[in-house]
Amino acid sequence: AGFVAAYWTLQPLWMRPLMRRVVPDDRFGYGHTSSLAAVVTGYVARPFGDREKHDTEKVKLPRQLSFFKDVNVSTALVIGVIMLVAVAFADDQVVNRLAAEMDAKLSPWVWALLVALRFAGGIAILLFGVRMFLAEIIPAFKGFSDKVIPGTRPALDSPTIFPTAPTAVMLGFVSALLVFLACLGIFAAADWFTLAPPMIMLFFVGGPVAVFGNAVAG
């Protein structure tokens, strides 16, 4: 309990130099279990790039692919591909049972696409809620801090930095997924334990870690 309390108390402090690159006005800190991975990435990435030259948010795509710049569209497509590949390799009985839970006549392939769209819709709602959250919580906390502990700022969850670099978030998620799948194959070949890819963890850790890496080196 003491270790956990110390971790949650100290992590906004060691994240602050990186947070000031992501949120220059220093309105809030970063409070999330991915902070250790984020701070390591932030310092390790420095020799490997330059944000001015390699910023993910300045990547120019061909006109035909410009819709990928929308994080909702890219999320739906990436998750859609993942789900379709998963259905192709999964046990038919399991997939049919899951599809039947949504609709008895639903094709497993259509079910996979609907799940991907639901995931993307959830992320869209989350990002919209983040903007509302920031607009409300920061002024409210400032009023509290001015009276109780002057100069303090709230440390907020990882989705609060997603709007600063949505392309980095998606690249971080995809990179985390590929590394996880590679490790899964290595573990299986070595006859070690294996875990099914936890999509929520990969998104909410891989995404923000990439945001901090991008803020340092692009």
Side-chain angles (χ1 to χ4, degrees):
F3 176 81
V4 173
Y7 179 79
W8 281 100
T9 302
L10 296 175
Q11 62 176 332
L13 297 177
W14 68 56
M15 286 300 302
R16 191 179 183 199
L18 291 173
M19 273 297 290
R20 296 192 72 170
R21 290 174 176 263
V22 175
V23 185
D25 58 10
D26 202 22
R27 291 175 296 157
F28 59 91
Y30 187 78
H32 190 259
T33 51
S34 62
S35 67
L36 188 58
V39 75
V40 169
T41 299
Y43 287 104
V44 170
R46 289 183 178 183
F48 296 100
D50 182 345
R51 184 176 184 178
E52 296 300 320
K53 298 178 181 178
H54 309 126
D55 190 347
T56 58
E57 308 314 300
K58 296 179 181 178
V59 172
K60 293 183 179 180
L61 296 174
R63 187 174 181 181
Q64 297 86 345
L65 301 177
S66 59
F67 59 87
F68 276 106
K69 294 292 287 183
D70 187 303
V71 67
N72 300 318
V73 173
S74 56
T75 300
L77 289 173
V78 169
I79 297 297
V81 171
I82 293 171
M83 289 298 300
L84 291 173
V85 171
V87 167
F89 287 95
D91 183 273
D92 290 341
Q93 292 183 349
V94 173
V95 176
N96 287 329
R97 176 174 56 80
L98 291 172
E101 290 177 359
M102 184 177 291
D103 189 310
K105 299 181 180 179
L106 192 63
S107 164
W109 302 100
V110 175
W111 168 80
L113 294 176
L114 291 176
V115 170
L117 292 173
R118 179 182 291 180
F119 185 93
I123 296 300
I125 294 171
L126 172 70
L127 295 179
F128 181 77
V130 163
R131 294 184 179 92
M132 295 177 61
F133 178 78
L134 292 177
E136 298 292 336
I137 193 66
I138 293 176
F141 188 88
K142 187 176 186 307
F144 172 79
S145 67
D146 287 346
K147 294 182 179 180
V148 182
I149 313 176
T152 56
R153 297 168 181 78
L156 305 179
D157 204 348
S158 62
T160 54
I161 65 169
F162 285 3
T164 65
T167 303
V169 172
M170 186 53 54
L171 291 174
F173 167 59
V174 173
S175 299
L177 175 64
L178 293 176
V179 171
F180 194 101
L181 292 175
C183 289
L184 190 150
I186 294 171
F187 281 26
D191 200 24
W192 296 344
F193 73 93
T194 58
L195 297 173
M199 293 301 169
I200 295 297
M201 185 197 77
L202 294 175
F203 193 88
F204 287 100
V205 174
V209 167
V211 171
F212 289 109
N214 179 64
V216 173

